[in-house]
Amino acid sequence: MVSPASADPGLLTGFYRNMLLVRRFEEKVGQMYGMGLIGGFCHLYIGQEAVVVGMNAAIRADDAVITSYRCHAHALVRGVTPKAVMAELTGRSGGISKGKGGSMHIFDTAHGFYGGHGIVGAQVPIGAGVAFAQKYRNTDNVTLVFFGEGAANQGQVYETFNMASLWKLPCVFVVENNRYAMGTAVGRIKAGTGIFRRGEAFGIPGIEVDGMDVETVHEASKDVVARVRGGGGPVLVEMLTYRYRGHSMSDPVKYRTRTEVQKVREEQDAIDQVRARLVERGVADDAELRRIDRDVKEQVAEAAEFAQQSPEPDPGELMTDVLVASGDG
Amino acid sequence: MVSPASADPGLLTGFYRNMLLVRRFEEKVGQMYGMGLIGGFCHLYIGQEAVVVGMNAAIRADDAVITSYRCHAHALVRGVTPKAVMAELTGRSGGISKGKGGSMHIFDTAHGFYGGHGIVGAQVPIGAGVAFAQKYRNTDNVTLVFFGEGAANQGQVYETFNMASLWKLPCVFVVENNRYAMGTAVGRIKAGTGIFRRGEAFGIPGIEVDGMDVETVHEASKDVVARVRGGGGPVLVEMLTYRYRGHSMSDPVKYRTRTEVQKVREEQDAIDQVRARLVERGVADDAELRRIDRDVKEQVAEAAEFAQQSPEPDPGELMTDVLVASGDG
Amino acid sequence: MAAVTVRQALRDAMAEEMRADERVFLIGEEVAEYQGAYKVSQGLLEEFGTARIIDTPITEHGFAGLAIGAAMAGLRPITEFMTFNFALQAMDQIINSAAKTLYMSGGQVSCPIVFRGPNGAAARVAAQHSQDLASWFAHVPGLKVVAPFSAGDAKGLLKSAIRDPNPVIFLENEILYGATSDVPDGDFALPLGEAGVERSGGDVTVVAYSIMVAKALEAASSLAREGIEADVINLRTIRPLDTRTILESVSRTGRLVIVEEGWSFAGIGAEVAAAVIAEGFDLLDAPPRRVSAADAPLPYAANLEAMALPRPDDIAAAVRDVCYTGL
Amino acid sequence: MAAVTVRQALRDAMAEEMRADERVFLIGEEVAEYQGAYKVSQGLLEEFGTARIIDTPITEHGFAGLAIGAAMAGLRPITEFMTFNFALQAMDQIINSAAKTLYMSGGQVSCPIVFRGPNGAAARVAAQHSQDLASWFAHVPGLKVVAPFSAGDAKGLLKSAIRDPNPVIFLENEILYGATSDVPDGDFALPLGEAGVERSGGDVTVVAYSIMVAKALEAASSLAREGIEADVINLRTIRPLDTRTILESVSRTGRLVIVEEGWSFAGIGAEVAAAVIAEGFDLLDAPPRRVSAADAPLPYAANLEAMALPRPDDIAAAVRDVCYTGL
Ligand SMILES: Cc1ncc(C[n+]2csc(CCOP(=O)(O)OP(=O)(O)O)c2C)c(N)n1
Ligand SMILES: Cc1ncc(C[n+]2csc(CCOP(=O)(O)OP(=O)(O)O)c2C)c(N)n1
Ligand SMILES: [Mg+2]
Ligand SMILES: [Mg+2]
C-alpha cells in the first residue's frame, strides 16, 4: 500500500479532477434525463469513480479498455471529450457515434476504448480478443476488461478465463463489485467465495481491492498491469465499490435503505477522501479546489450545451454503417 | 477406501456382469457400424465401464441420470434393454425412441434416464433442472449429471454450478475425464488445476476418483450420494478414466500412440481388475466366469438380431412427436 | 368484463394458473423480490413464496437449460427473459433441447415450458435491446410462438400457453404493458393457433401482430376517412399460423398488407405472403406488400428510431399501394 | 483449371489469404493438430504455425466472442464452427456483437470476421446436428451470408469472404466436402452478392443453394427428358440476395420453384417468393412453389431421414406443378 507521503501530488490532484469530472458529468446526465433530453436505458457511474480513474492512471494511452453499458466514465477517462459523450447521450450528430448508439454504447477506437456493451458479460470474451490481437501483433499492450459482479456469473466469463489463461493473454479482468446487479444484492445470486478467487481454478490469480480509495486502486493496478504487460498472463481484480444511484434512471431502488447509501457516502466517498488528503497534505488549498470545481462545472456545462445544440443525425444516417462498403476495409 | 475383504461378493459379480455387458454391447455396435447397420455419429464407451457401473450401484431406481451423446452404457445400466438400445442404433421401430433419435439420443424416462444429449455441455443445466424438480417435489431423489472433461470448459457448466450451489440442488456432477476431447488431450485445452477443484469457488466440494476401479468408484459414490441425498448440496466428482476406441467411429485416432492405449488396457482395465479379484477372492471360478461371459454374449447377440429384424419406423412417424397434441399434456 | 392493463392481465394469468396447478412456477431475473423488471410479477412472491417465484443470476443459458430440465421432469416452468434479446444467450437450449427432444425421444420426453418476456423495440433502447425474434422462433418446428396485443390476448393466450404441453415462446411488448383493455371475467383462455379479427372492412386485408396491430388500426381509421375499409387481423399466434382466417379475408378483399416490427428478410411478412400466394394466388388482385422495420440495427437517435419502425403512415401508404389508389 | 474437392478448395482459399495477409488467422475446435474435424484445415498448422492456427476448448460462446474482439481490434479471424449447429451457443456474440457494433459505433468499429463450417444435414446425424441456419442469419442486417455449392464457389467465395470488411457467415456442407469440380487457377475470387446460373432452360426457374443445387440439377435433367427445360440458379450468396438474376430468369420463364434444405416457415424460400412477387408479380404465370425440409426435427432412421430432406423427385414434382403439367 502507498504511504500518503510517497504519493505524487500532481497525480493526486489529477485523480481529484477526473473523479470530479465523472461525478459532475453523471449528475448532469441525470438532470438531462429527467428533462427528457436523454432517453432509453441510462446507467450512472456515481460512487464508483475511484475505480476507473485509478486504473486508467496505471495504463498507457495505447492500451485498451472495454466495459459494459455503464460506460460514460470509462470513455471520459480515456480522453473522449465530454461533448462527444454527452451528445451521444442526447442522440445528436455531434455524438461520438453520431447518436446511433446512445448511453450504453460509447466507443472510441482512437482512444483504445472498445465500448460500451449492452449484453451482460459480452465484453469479457471480446476484451480478451482485443488482448489476443495485442499479443498476436507482438506489442506489449494490455487490455482492461471491466464487468460487474452480476456479470461475473456469466458462463462466457469462465470460457474466457480458460482461454486467456491457456494463451497467457495480456488482459486484466476487473470486476466492479458495486454490491448490486440491478435489484439483486450480490449475496443473493452468487454462491461460494469472493469473486476474485473465481479465476484460481483456471490458473488466474486474483486480488481484492478497496475500490473507493483511488490511491489504493492505482497502486494495486500498477503492480497488476506490470505483471500482465510483462507476459505473466491474465489477473483478476475485484474492486469493492458502490453505486449511489439506481441501476438505471428507471430504477426506484426499493431494495436497499437510504441509510445504507448515506453511510457509504459519508464514510467512503472516493472524492471526499481525496479532497481531504489534498488539503491535509498541503497539496491544494481551498482556492485551488474551488478552481478545479469551477473548471469541471464549466466543462460539463459546455458539454450539456453542445449536446442540446448539436443537430439530430441526418436522416440518411438510418441506412449507413449497416455494412462497411467493400473496399473500405 | 474399500478393503477387498469388505466388498459384497454378489455386488462384485454384478459389477463384472454389467461391465462386461457394456463392453460386449459396444464391441458389437462397433462391428455393426462397420457393416453399415448403424449410421451417423456413434460414440463407444469401451474403457470407461467402471464409472457408470460403479456409480449406478450407488443410486436408487427412482433417482435420475443424464449424460452426453456417449450414452449407450448409461442407458443399459439404468435397465433399458440391450434390444431397445441396439434397435435405436439401427434406426428401427423397436428402438427405445422408435429409431428417431439414434446413437446420441437414447432416452428412457421410465428408468429415470434423461438422455442422450448431442450438444456438448447441454445436459449439465438440464440435469440440474431434473434435480430442481426432485427438490421442488420434496423427494429425496438425486440426479447424476455426467459430462466429459472437454465439456467441463463450457460456460453453462459454471452457470449451473452457481445455481446448483445457491439452491442446494440434489445433483452429483460427474466429470468422466477420459483424457481426450475428440482429438484434444485434456492438458491442451484446460488451464489451471484439476477439474474436480473447479466447483470450489462456487461452494461445491470436489473429489478425484480412480475411474478404472469399479469398487473405488462405488465406494466413493456411496458417500457422495449420501451427502447429496441428505441435502448437503451438489458435489463434483472427477472420474479418471480412459477411452480405448476413437472419439467416434469416424476418428482415425492419430493423436495418441497405440502403446499408450495398450499400457492402460494392460495395467488398468476395469474388467480385468474385477475378474482377477473375483478369482482371487474365491467369489467365482472359471466356470462361473465363462457362464457369465456366455450369458452376456447371448444377450448382446439377441439384441443385435432384434435390431436387424425390427422393421424401419412407419413413414407416418416422420411427422409425429413434433408437438404433443394439446390435451395429451 | 373489466378493463385492466396488459401487465395486470399477464400477472393474473400466471397467478390463476399457479393456483390451479402447483407444478407451475416462475423463474427469471428479478421476478421475485424486485417484482419483475417491468413489474409483471407484482405480488407473486408474496402469494406463492420463494419456492415457486425464483430469482436467478444473470445466466440465461444456464437457467433456461435448468428450467427445460425441470419441464422434462414434469414441472411447468414459466421462464421470464427480462427481454427476449437476452434469449440469444439461451438459444441453444431453447432450440436444441426444448424444441427437439420430444422428437428425438420418440415422444417420451415432452417439455411443457413457457418462455416469456418483452420482445422487439421499447423506447430508445438501441440495437442490442430491440430485436424482434418472432421469425426466428417461428422457423423452428417443435415450438409454438405467441404474440398478444390486447390485455384479453395477454391473459387468454398466456393461460393457454401455460397449459400447453409444448414449449411456447410468448412474445410480449414493453410499450404495451401499460395499455388497458377489457378482459372477460373468470377463467378466460384463448386457444393457441387462432387469429382475431380486430376490424372488418372488406377492401383490404392488413395482417399484424403485437404492437403493430395498434399501428394497423390507426392506419385503418385514417384510411376509412379516404373511403378504404380495411380488415385488420391480429395474428395472436404466429406458429401455428392461422392461414385460414387470413385467406378468408383475402378471398373477400383480394389485397394483402403484412405489418411486422421486425426485419423483413425471411420474416413473418415473407411467410404470410408466401403462404397466401401458395394457397390463394388467384384470390389476389395485387401483390402483397410487406411493411417492416428498416433493414438496419435499431438506432438510438429519436429521429432515426422513429423512421426505422413501421408507422401508421407507412402502413396506410402500403395499403393505398395495393389498392392502386396510390397511383 | 484444375479439378479439386470442395475441401481442398476451402483449404487453398484460407492458405492463400493467410499468405497474402498476416492479419488472417484460423481459430476453432480441432483445426490445428487434428487438421480439422473434417480435415478442411489439412496442413495449415504445418505451414502457419500455432500462432495463426489455433485450437480452442469446446466453448463456442467464448471463442466466438474472442474472435470478434480480435476482429474489432483489426485482425481478420476465420472462425470455424465444427458444425454450425454449435453456433447456437455463440448466437448472442454473432448477432449482438458482430452484426450490430458497426452501426452502434457510428461506423467506428468494424468486425471483419468469417464464421465458417458445415451447415445443415450430414448423413444420419439426427436433429441436433442437422439444422440449416441460413434463414436465421440472413434475417439479420449487418451480416453477409454465403453458401457455396461447387469447389469453385468454395474457393472464390471464401477468398472474398475473408477479404470482406464485414462479418460473413460462410455455410458449408459436409456431404459436399468430397465433391470434385474445376477451379480456375491463380488468385480466383467470386464477388459476394452474385448468383450463378448453373443451367439455362427457359421453361421454369429453379432457385437453390448449397447441396440443393445438386438436387435441382438432377431434377432438371430428368425433367429435360419430359421436355421441361429449367433454369437452375445457384444463389451462392443468400444475403445480399441477388434478386436481379432471379427476376431476369423469371421474366423469361414465368414460373418459379425455390429449393432449400431447411424448414420452410420464414425460410429462404419464403423470402425469395415474397421478393419476386413484390418486384415481379406480373411476370408470374403460376404461384411460386417452395420445396423445403419436412417441418420436423431431422429423424435418425434412414427411411425417415430420406423422406425428410428434399429429393430430386420432390423438386421435379414441384416444377411440374408450376408448369401445370402436373394437372
Ligand atoms: C444477458 C443479459 N441479461 C440481462 C440483462 C439486463 N441487465 C442489464 S444490467 C443488469 C445487471 C448487471 O449487474 P452487474 O453485472 O453487477 O453490473 P452493474 O450494473 O452493477 O454495473 C441486467 C440484469 C442484459 N443486459 N443482458
Ligand atoms: C457445443 C458443441 N461443440 C462441439 C461439438 C462437437 N463435439 C462432440 S463431442 C466433442 C468432444 C467432447 O469431449 P468430452 O467432453 O471430453 O467428452 P467425451 O467425448 O470424451 O466423452 C466435440 C468437440 C458438440 N457436439 N457440441
Ligand atoms: Mg453490480
Ligand atoms: Mg473426454
Side-chain angles (χ1 to χ4, degrees), chain A residues 41 43-45 48 68-70 104 117-123 147-154 156 176-184 189 243 247-248, chain C residues 29-30 57-60 63 82-83 85-87 89 128-129, chain D residues 92:
Chain A
F41 293 134
H43 310 81
L44 304 183
Y45 196 69
Q48 303 177 216
S68 71
Y69 44 83
R70 195 178 301 280
M104 297 187 287
H117 298 267
I119 304 300
V120 165
Q123 74 274 21
F147 54 104
E149 87 292 339
N153 293 311
Q154 279 262 316
Q156 62 187 321
E176 296 196 58
N177 181 351
N178 61 10
R179 294 206 237 157
Y180 293 90
M182 203 166 259
T184 306
I189 43 88
R243 123 170 101 67
H247 166 71
S248 72
Chain C
E29 292 159 17
E30 307 289 357
I58 310 165
T59 54
E60 282 77 4
F63 74 69
M82 193 176 285
T83 85
N85 301 283
F86 315 141
Q89 289 194 343
Q128 291 184 324
H129 285 77
Chain D
D92 177 66

Side-chain angles (χ1 to χ4, degrees), chain B residues 4 7-14 274-286 288-289:
Chain B
D8 160 356
L11 198 63
L12 195 61
T13 316
V274 171
R275 192 188 282 105
R277 287 181 204 167
L278 284 168
V279 175
E280 158 200 313
R281 296 182 201 165
V283 176
D285 59 12
D286 269 18
E288 166 73 354
L289 291 174

Side-chain angles (χ1 to χ4, degrees), chain B residues 38-41 88-91 99-102 104-105 117-120 150 153-154 156 181-184 188-189 251-252 255 312-315 317-319 322, chain D residues 30 32-34 37-39 55-60 82-83 85-86 89 123-129 174 294-304 307-308:
Chain B
I38 297 170
F41 294 133
E88 187 60 32
L89 271 55
T90 53
K100 295 168 84 164
M104 296 189 287
H105 308 299
H117 297 267
I119 304 300
V120 164
N153 293 312
Q154 280 263 316
Q156 62 188 322
M182 204 167 255
T184 305
R188 289 182 44 230
I189 43 89
D251 175 11
Y255 44 83
E312 288 192 312
D314 182 286
E317 285 294 342
L318 175 60
M319 298 309 296
V322 177
Chain D
E30 308 288 358
E33 294 198 8
Y34 200 82
Y38 298 102
K39 298 287 178 271
D55 280 328
T56 66
I58 309 164
T59 54
E60 282 77 4
M82 193 176 283
T83 84
N85 301 283
F86 315 141
Q89 289 194 345
R124 310 283 309 277
V125 295
Q128 291 185 324
H129 285 76
E174 196 215 314
D295 200 16
L298 197 69
Y300 167 75
N303 63 327
L304 300 183
M307 292 166 60

Side-chain angles (χ1 to χ4, degrees), chain A residues 89 118 154 184 188 251 313, chain C residues 30 34 55 58 89 128 300 303:
Chain A
L89 271 55
Q154 279 262 316
T184 306
R188 290 182 46 229
D251 173 11
Chain C
E30 307 289 357
Y34 200 83
D55 279 328
I58 310 165
Q89 289 194 343
Q128 291 184 324
Y300 166 75
N303 64 325

Side-chain angles (χ1 to χ4, degrees), chain C residues 6 46 59 73 81 89 104 130 304-305 308:
Chain C
V6 167
E46 290 62 28
T59 54
F81 289 117
Q89 289 194 343
M104 297 192 301
S130 303
L304 300 183
E305 184 187 53

Side-chain angles (χ1 to χ4, degrees), chain D residues 47-320:
Chain D
E47 178 174 357
F48 299 101
T50 53
R52 295 180 69 189
I53 307 295
I54 299 155
D55 280 328
T56 66
I58 309 164
T59 54
E60 282 77 4
H61 193 176
F63 74 71
L66 187 145
I68 287 165
M72 290 175 173
L75 299 184
R76 296 283 182 130
I78 302 169
T79 307
E80 175 173 307
F81 290 117
M82 193 176 283
T83 84
F84 258 98
N85 301 283
F86 315 141
L88 284 174
Q89 289 194 345
M91 209 44 89
D92 177 66
Q93 288 287 1
I94 297 169
I95 304 304
N96 278 319
S97 302
K100 296 176 182 174
T101 300
L102 180 72
Y103 195 86
M104 296 192 300
S105 66
Q108 292 183 79
V109 182
S110 66
C111 188
I113 187 169
V114 175
F115 294 102
R116 50 154 295 273
N119 173 65
R124 310 283 309 277
V125 295
Q128 291 185 324
H129 285 76
S130 303
Q131 192 165 332
D132 176 0
L133 287 154
S135 71
W136 269 31
F137 289 119
H139 179 61
V140 180
L143 299 177
K144 293 185 179 182
V145 182
V146 177
F149 160 58
S150 68
D153 291 351
K155 182 167 184 186
L157 293 169
L158 184 52
K159 284 171 71 82
S160 295
I162 294 168
R163 295 173 190 176
D164 198 277
N166 298 290
V168 179
I169 306 293
F170 197 86
L171 304 171
E172 301 162 7
N173 180 286
E174 196 215 314
I175 293 167
L176 290 177
Y177 280 145
T180 301
S181 55
D182 284 342
V183 177
D185 304 322
D187 181 18
F188 171 67
L190 281 170
L192 304 187
E194 291 182 21
V197 178
E198 301 285 334
R199 185 182 192 284
S200 296
D203 298 330
V204 58
T205 303
V206 180
V207 173
Y209 60 92
S210 188
I211 194 169
M212 287 298 129
V213 174
K215 313 275 178 203
L217 289 169
E218 272 188 63
S221 26
S222 65
L223 287 161
R225 285 182 234 107
E226 303 170 23
I228 300 178
E229 292 297 340
D231 283 7
V232 175
I233 294 176
N234 168 8
L235 284 179
R236 283 186 178 147
T237 301
I238 293 169
R239 174 100 182 218
L241 183 67
D242 183 359
T243 41
R244 202 187 38 66
T245 297
I246 300 168
L247 285 165
E248 187 284 322
S249 171
V250 172
S251 70
R252 286 183 288 96
T253 65
R255 302 166 192 294
L256 174 65
V257 170
I258 311 115
V259 190
E260 65 195 322
E261 186 185 273
W263 298 306
S264 64
F265 197 105
I268 300 303
E271 178 59 32
V272 171
V276 166
I277 272 142
E279 300 176 46
F281 192 61
D282 306 331
L283 305 174
L284 289 166
D285 301 321
R289 273 289 309 270
R290 294 183 273 173
V291 179
S292 316
D295 200 16
L298 197 69
Y300 167 75
N303 63 327
L304 300 183
E305 184 188 54
M307 292 166 60
L309 298 170
R311 288 157 299 194
D313 289 354
D314 304 318
I315 300 167
V319 166
R320 289 189 204 94

